[in-house]
Amino acid sequence: MNTILSKQALTGLSEEEVLQQRAAYGTNELPTSKPRSFFAIAWDVVREPMFLLLVSCGVLYLLLGDRNEALMLLGFVFVVMGITLFQERKTERALEKLRDLSSPRALVIRGGEQKRIAGRDVVCGDIFIVSEGDRIPADGVVLDTSALSVDESLLTGESVSALKSVWDGKSERASWNGENSPFVSSGTLVVRGKAYCLAQEVGMQTQMGRIGKSLQSLESEETFVQRETFRLVRIFFIFGVSTSILVFLLYSLTRGDWLKGLLAGLSLAMAVLPEEFPVILSIFFALGAWRIAKKGVLTRRIPVVEMLGAATVLCSDKTGTITFNRMTVRRILLENNEQFLCDDSVKEFPEAFHKILEFGILASQRDPFDPMEKAFQSLGERYLRGTEHLHDEWSLVREYPLSSEMPAMTEVWESKDQQHYVIAAKGAPEAIIDLCHLPAERTAHVQEQVRALAKEGLRVLAVAASEFERLPLPGIQHDFSYAFLGLLALEDPVRPSVPLSVRECHEAGIRVIMITGDHPRTAESVARQIGLERPEALLTGVELEAMDDGVLCKKIATVSVFARITPEQKLRIVQALKANGEVVAMTGDGVNDAPALKAAHIGIAMGLRGTDTAREAASLVLVDDDFSSIVSAIRTGRRIFDNLRKAMAYVVAIHIPIAGLSLIPVFFHWPLILFPVHIVVLELIIDPSCSIAFEMEEEEQGIMQRPPRNPRSPLFGRERMTLSILQGCGVLLVMILLYYFSLTHGKTVSQARTLVFVSLIVANLSLILTNRSWTKTVMGHLKSVNAAVGFIMLGVVIFFIACLNIPPLRNAFLFAALSWKDLLISIAMGFLSILWFEILKAVRGKQLLDVS
């Protein structure tokens, strides 16, 4: 064993020293913020603009006597509160999961005795002992080691375990741990060997603790659509309330009828108040989350659904996201240049390669934690099971472990049927070359093979074999006489679906960036395999550390691969992209990804291999860890945003004629056209149309062949708002003309009202049909089935047949009987009111999709 342990150190801390250390540095866990009470969370919900709008609209409709509308809106209040309470609890659990992960059981030396204690009780200065399968309980240094190898992918993203060396008593912790480092980190996993370590940092001072601290300081942002919707709602709300009061006063003062004045004001208020906007947003997000859940993507923050369509950059962690986070033997090379390419499609394993795999397995642990040794075992189970090359009955006599001086290990095996020991060695190629005492020419040949494999990003190990008579075994590996068998090249394989998904992202105008803790050579190789742009122009963590934020923002515009990146640097990369105006989606699965996942506009965690901390910090979770599911989710996000704008265009358009028909008769001293009962009927059509019907619309053609929308462009820009207003004004103009000519050509007020209302309902249905697509005409879109639209139209037809033919119902709505000629004219005028927009679509086609 390599050691700097002294007799004094072996006694560990006394109980008095433990208490002093705990008083000075605290317990070895992340502090849990005081849980907020139900009422505290509810108060935060009450202050949300969306909540206030729903409550105010619901109360107003309740005061107006419209209980159905009020109950629907107030029902959404409880939905919003329920979702928020659920999400708040989920977010708080992120720190709890991180704390649990960072506080395993620990074996420490105190008062000269070994004690098993809770990880939270480890203090600075403790001597703790770790072996295979243990999690490191605190950040510290190695005092004594027997081939300690640690899987640090949880923090670094590096898929290969790191061999640890003994601390020299002077060196300080670098930005990360790495190979041949004497430093170990809390939460990482021991895959081989045993060590005595000195705890130097606990709790929030550990690397894990600093991640937790950054999670606490990060706040989730409102989405662009939420901000834009609140802006529109404020405008409509102020306009609606002010004009309603104006109409009430104007009608009452000019005509002396305060009751009808109140009805006129209330009708206008009901016509203009924008209660549909928050309803649309709630339903679109909720149903959007349900739709992408069917594609294997769970939504933790519902508003992020619409952000998917705006994503301009997808930052992906390599290990466990682009790759499987497990080592696989990719190639086997014998010294005579004979090669075997390990592929799932290959059924036969040539006899010439049996021995090198056999001895690679013999040079490994029988029940390994090390991912490379697991890869050897997996390949052996596949090709050697049932042959004489697997030796489950052999006994391990002695192990010569890895060390920083000799990065190779030797296992000595005994067989009952043989009169000698079988010796198997594996390790770094240069170490095995040294053990085999290869001549210069053969050494140069092997080194050339290693360089060729390393350029492909493969991890290369060499294997050697020996025999030894039944004599006392030598003290060191060098005393065996080895035969060089060849090289085993391993990789963390790329998921098969990733290259196609990357290509689809590029076609959709989404830039893909790979961020990893791996070696630059490995990162470049993987980047080439998946088709990233300019994989050779990568940036390392050391280079990034030397840059200020301004330089990084410029550099990041052209770099698609980041290697040797630390957790803090991942967060900095995301923030630099955001500073450049990008809409950032970030995928990951480890604790090291959690801060970046939370800081990104769209954090996407892996469901199967992801840690609880990553899942809780993310906005979305991939159930099956399939990278391609991200593309499906982005497609759905684009569809949701398109349909959201269509729905809002329809709402703006239909409210203009309703408001106009409530307002204009007041100014022209005409009889009132619409009363609250008529507004209620219209709302029964508008509410399901703007929410359910438009949400169900199919995506536009080529939705993934156009660039992401400009994140700075408003949800409802000037041109789109103008077109929506013109749709509504066109309907209003036709309705006013129809009412005027009806009154001046001998129709009664009831008949004129009936004609206008029937025409308005037809115009309403026409607005639904024309806004289903801004690229296809109504006739061109009829082939696309939308069940909700069909049910709405059927319900409207049944309602009007009943209203026009059942006298009590007709009287309740202040209608009059119509002749077939009048009815046909009324229906034709409703269709005519949107004809101009259909002509515009036929002329401009897909250009209307780009209207902002």
Side-chain angles (χ1 to χ4, degrees), residues 88 105 187 214 448 468 482 488 581 607 690 721:
E88 287 286 344
R105 300 287 293 175
S214 65
E448 181 60 34
F468 202 80
Y482 291 97
L488 295 170
C690 68
M721 179 66 82

Side-chain angles (χ1 to χ4, degrees), residues 689 693 696-697 765 768-769 772 784-798:
S689 299
M696 290 179 64
E697 269 310 310
L765 297 177
I768 295 171
L769 293 174
R772 284 183 65 195
S784 176
V785 178
N786 187 322
V789 173
F791 281 120
I792 289 169
M793 298 187 76
L794 179 62
V796 169
V797 171
I798 294 173

Side-chain angles (χ1 to χ4, degrees), residues 221-423:
E221 302 178 7
E222 284 183 346
T223 68
F224 300 124
V225 167
Q226 283 178 303
R227 292 197 293 267
E228 192 67 18
T229 302
F230 295 149
R231 183 180 70 85
L232 288 174
V233 163
R234 284 195 299 270
I235 294 172
F236 276 84
F237 192 83
I238 294 169
F239 174 76
V241 171
S242 58
T243 53
S244 298
I245 295 172
L246 177 64
V247 165
F248 166 65
L249 294 174
L250 183 63
Y251 192 100
S252 301
L253 293 174
T254 57
R255 304 193 191 187
D257 192 333
W258 291 90
L259 179 59
K260 284 194 174 181
L262 179 61
L263 287 174
L266 293 178
S267 297
L268 183 61
M270 293 171 68
V272 176
L273 286 177
E275 87 282 357
E276 291 94 354
F277 283 166
V279 171
I280 289 171
L281 215 58
S282 300
I283 289 180
F284 267 65
F285 288 172
L287 292 182
W290 172 72
R291 290 188 187 282
I292 66 172
K294 294 198 299 183
K295 301 178 186 295
V297 182
L298 299 181
T299 306
R300 290 198 58 254
R301 284 202 309 120
I302 287 180
V304 84
V305 169
E306 67 85 13
M307 289 291 291
L308 283 165
T312 59
V313 175
L314 174 56
C315 295
S316 178
D317 182 54
K318 179 190 76 69
T319 305
T321 307
I322 289 175
T323 66
F324 284 103
N325 193 22
R326 65 170 184 260
M327 298 303 290
T328 300
V329 178
R330 179 55 57 206
R331 289 191 193 178
I332 303 176
L333 275 77
L334 303 182
E335 193 186 359
N336 61 4
N337 283 333
E338 194 173 352
Q339 293 192 35
F340 176 74
L341 179 63
C342 301
D343 189 277
D344 291 340
S345 61
V346 179
K347 304 299 181 184
E348 297 295 327
F349 191 54
E351 181 67 33
F353 295 89
H354 284 198
K355 186 173 183 180
I356 185 173
L357 180 56
E358 173 188 4
F359 275 79
I361 296 171
L362 286 173
S364 305
Q365 297 290 310
R366 183 156 274 167
D367 186 18
F369 281 89
D370 187 283
M372 290 185 290
E373 294 186 351
K374 285 183 177 181
F376 297 156
Q377 272 202 349
S378 176
L379 195 64
E381 286 294 322
R382 179 178 176 185
Y383 288 123
L384 300 183
R385 180 55 62 190
T387 72
E388 73 279 10
H389 297 287
L390 292 183
H391 308 286
D392 297 334
E393 74 283 0
W394 285 13
S395 300
L396 180 64
V397 177
R398 181 171 175 178
E399 177 181 80
Y400 296 83
L402 289 156
S403 67
S404 56
E405 296 80 15
M406 175 54 66
M409 64 176 296
T410 295
E411 304 275 71
V412 181
W413 295 91
E414 181 180 27
S415 169
K416 295 179 181 178
D417 301 329
Q418 295 176 321
Q419 299 303 311
H420 57 269
Y421 294 116
V422 175
I423 316 296

Side-chain angles (χ1 to χ4, degrees), residues 24 76 128 169 244 426 487 591 672 728 777 795:
F76 274 102
F128 60 86
S244 298
K426 76 173 190 314
L487 303 173
V591 172
L672 293 179
T777 62

Side-chain angles (χ1 to χ4, degrees), residues 554-822:
K554 292 179 181 177
K555 187 71 174 178
I556 208 168
T558 57
V559 175
S560 296
V561 183
F562 290 84
R564 289 298 193 201
I565 297 298
T566 66
E568 295 81 4
Q569 291 171 336
K570 286 189 177 185
L571 179 59
R572 194 175 165 210
I573 289 169
V574 170
Q575 290 171 333
L577 289 166
K578 290 169 70 175
N580 281 353
E582 305 282 5
V583 178
V584 184
M586 167 76 186
T587 72
D589 65 347
V591 172
N592 60 317
D593 299 318
L597 289 173
K598 191 170 183 181
H601 295 109
I602 310 160
I604 309 170
M606 301 297 112
L608 294 177
R609 294 186 174 272
T611 61
D612 287 331
T613 304
R615 287 194 288 268
E616 298 297 337
S619 307
L620 303 173
V621 178
L622 297 185
V623 176
D624 54 4
D625 288 8
D626 189 348
F627 189 90
S628 63
S629 297
I630 300 172
V631 179
S632 297
I634 290 173
R635 179 188 295 272
T636 302
R638 291 189 173 192
R639 168 189 167 183
I640 288 169
F641 186 78
D642 281 355
N643 290 343
L644 190 63
R645 295 213 292 186
K646 294 172 187 176
M648 290 193 167
Y650 160 73
V651 169
V652 171
I654 190 57
H655 273 278
I656 289 173
I658 296 174
L661 292 175
S662 301
L663 187 63
I664 290 174
V666 175
F667 288 103
F668 287 93
H669 293 271
W670 293 348
L672 293 179
I673 302 174
L674 300 179
F675 289 91
V677 66
H678 302 119
I679 306 296
V680 170
V681 171
L682 289 166
E683 290 295 341
L684 289 175
I685 301 172
I686 294 170
D687 288 342
S689 299
C690 68
S691 54
I692 305 297
F694 279 101
E695 195 282 331
M696 290 179 64
E697 269 310 310
E698 293 182 356
E699 65 189 46
E700 299 281 355
Q701 287 184 351
I703 195 170
M704 291 298 285
Q705 276 70 54
R706 64 179 193 239
R709 70 178 189 269
N710 185 347
R712 297 181 184 84
S713 65
L715 170 65
F716 234 60
R718 183 177 302 173
E719 191 172 353
R720 183 171 287 271
M721 179 66 82
T722 300
L723 287 172
S724 297
I725 291 173
L726 287 176
Q727 286 184 34
C729 288
V731 173
L732 176 60
L733 178 62
V734 171
M735 299 303 109
I736 290 297
L737 290 175
L738 180 61
Y739 190 57
Y740 175 77
F741 280 105
S742 297
L743 290 178
T744 56
H745 286 74
K747 301 293 184 184
T748 65
V749 172
S750 295
Q751 288 175 323
R753 178 181 295 113
T754 308
L755 282 168
V756 170
F757 197 74
V758 170
S759 189
L760 179 60
I761 292 295
V762 173
N764 189 356
L765 297 177
S766 299
L767 284 171
I768 295 171
L769 293 174
T770 196
N771 281 290
R772 284 183 65 195
S773 173
W774 275 38
T775 59
K776 296 179 182 178
T777 62
V778 170
M779 296 304 296
H781 208 262
L782 284 179
K783 295 178 182 178
S784 176
V785 178
N786 187 322
V789 173
F791 281 120
I792 289 169
M793 298 187 76
L794 179 62
V796 169
V797 171
I798 294 173
F799 169 78
F800 265 100
I801 291 174
C803 276
L804 297 179
N805 291 281
I806 300 175
L809 198 57
R810 188 169 60 224
N811 294 334
F813 285 96
L814 305 176
F815 289 161
L818 294 178
S819 66
W820 280 104
K821 179 181 177 182
D822 288 340

Side-chain angles (χ1 to χ4, degrees), residues 478-493:
H478 260 297
D479 290 343
F480 292 108
S481 178
Y482 291 97
F484 187 82
L485 297 182
L487 303 173
L488 295 170
L490 302 96
E491 70 173 356
D492 184 1

